[in-house]
Amino acid sequence: MITVDLRSDTVTKPTAGMLEAMFNAKVGDDVFGDDETINQLEAKAAAMFGMEAGIYCPSGTMTNQIAIKCFTQPLDELIADQTAHVYRYEGGGIAFNSAVSTRLLNGYRGILTADMIEPEINAENVHYPHTSLVVLENTVNKGGGACYTLDQIKPIAELCQQRGLKLHLDGARIFNALAHTGDKAYDYGKYFDGISVCLSKGLGAPVGSVLLADKETIKYARRVRKVLGGGMRQAGFLAAAGIYALDHHVERLKNDHAHARIIAEALAASPAVTNVLPVETNIILFDTVDLADAVLQKLAAQGIHAMSTDKHRIRFVLHLDVHPEQVEHVVSVVKSL
Ligand SMILES: *Cc1c(COP(=O)(O)O)cnc(C)c1O
């Protein structure tokens, strides 16, 4: 039976080419700064995004949490959408790691505007926590892969600059956003103080994320990473997979987006489905007539594995281990739902 794992784009396995790159990596002790493959990955990612420096970390949770620590003081407040990964899915780390409170906004599919943010910046007053940071997510995971364009980001960046706030991007799927909007990675560096990029999502590396920022911030980020236990040694074997992913797996993301659109069309035509959110990238969110868990069981019986995000809502995520014949299988199963 054909099986298709649509639970997440984190389920990918390294390709043969990636494994070979990992096997051949030149490594050293990265806590001493001696791992040339990690140094190369950090420099490469920073250059791509027009940033000064980078730091390689085991996860996107760690790069986000380090950024928040770098850009805030205890008692500060950050602003994010209520769906934000930094708030919902990082175990309460904002409060625990940084002693910072969170002001949550209601964006459209997680997308915020400067007009939404401005009234939520606290005035200088002892009653109020000091607002010091805005966090955007692109693409928005819980928004079903919705994208910001750079034109939507610019007014937010201007507001942050005027009001002395830092701006961090949770760019776990930033390359999916770039594939959809046509914006250039290099232009992002002008607008953000920090950018977190996951290598282990659609890019297909087994492990790792990079945080990009200016040199001073990254210097401090190395202290914070050590405190969090994220100082790794000969991790160049893993970083090599990240370099390989940046070289070989960025262009192909548009295939995942095309696959998502094909499946979304089939879902929209199914009487078992009441609503399919507009598909911009590699994530499909759809609502089902029956309970999501019942639909998931039917899908699993046909080899298709996915997750529910609500009682009547299911998420499909496309990635590089889903090939055209598997897409066809999903379409035919969806038609029979
Ligand atoms: C996956 C993800 C992260 C990082 O998750 P890790 O599993 O810690 O690497 C951060 N932000 C978003 C939006 C994500 O989807």
Side-chain angles (χ1 to χ4, degrees), residues 73-96:
Q73 295 296 322
L75 309 183
D76 283 357
E77 186 161 271
L78 69 76
I79 294 175
D81 183 78
Q82 54 97 6
T83 62
H85 193 282
V86 292
Y87 174 74
R88 285 205 183 216
Y89 305 114
E90 299 187 9
I94 295 170
F96 185 76

Side-chain angles (χ1 to χ4, degrees), residues 136-273:
L136 306 181
E137 193 172 303
N138 200 15
T139 68
V140 184
N141 180 355
K142 199 139 198 299
C147 296
Y148 285 90
T149 62
L150 211 44
D151 283 337
Q152 289 173 296
I153 289 168
K154 282 174 191 170
I156 298 174
E158 263 164 43
L159 173 68
C160 289
Q161 207 154 29
Q162 278 164 12
R163 303 294 293 269
L165 310 187
K166 300 287 189 189
L167 183 59
H168 173 67
L169 176 67
D170 177 353
R173 297 188 180 82
I174 183 60
F175 284 105
N176 294 92
L178 296 171
H180 179 69
T181 61
D183 288 331
K184 297 281 166 273
Y186 187 80
D187 293 328
Y188 265 71
K190 289 199 274 290
Y191 300 103
F192 288 95
D193 298 287
I195 300 178
S196 163
V197 180
C198 283
L199 303 161
S200 61
K201 293 274 165 78
L203 294 186
V207 178
S209 290
V210 282
L211 174 63
L212 310 173
D214 63 22
K215 281 185 191 153
E216 274 304 300
T217 302
I218 294 300
K219 193 173 163 200
Y220 185 62
R222 290 191 191 282
R223 296 190 74 85
V224 180
R225 185 183 68 176
K226 195 80 185 90
V227 168
L228 296 177
M232 298 184 287
R233 303 295 177 172
Q234 289 75 22
F237 291 118
L238 299 170
I243 293 172
Y244 185 90
L246 290 174
D247 285 339
H248 296 94
H249 292 167
V250 171
E251 282 301 313
R252 61 154 307 286
L253 289 172
K254 59 183 190 299
N255 304 345
D256 299 339
H257 299 184
H259 290 163
R261 283 195 302 272
I262 291 168
I263 294 170
E265 254 175 53
L267 286 165
S270 165
V273 173

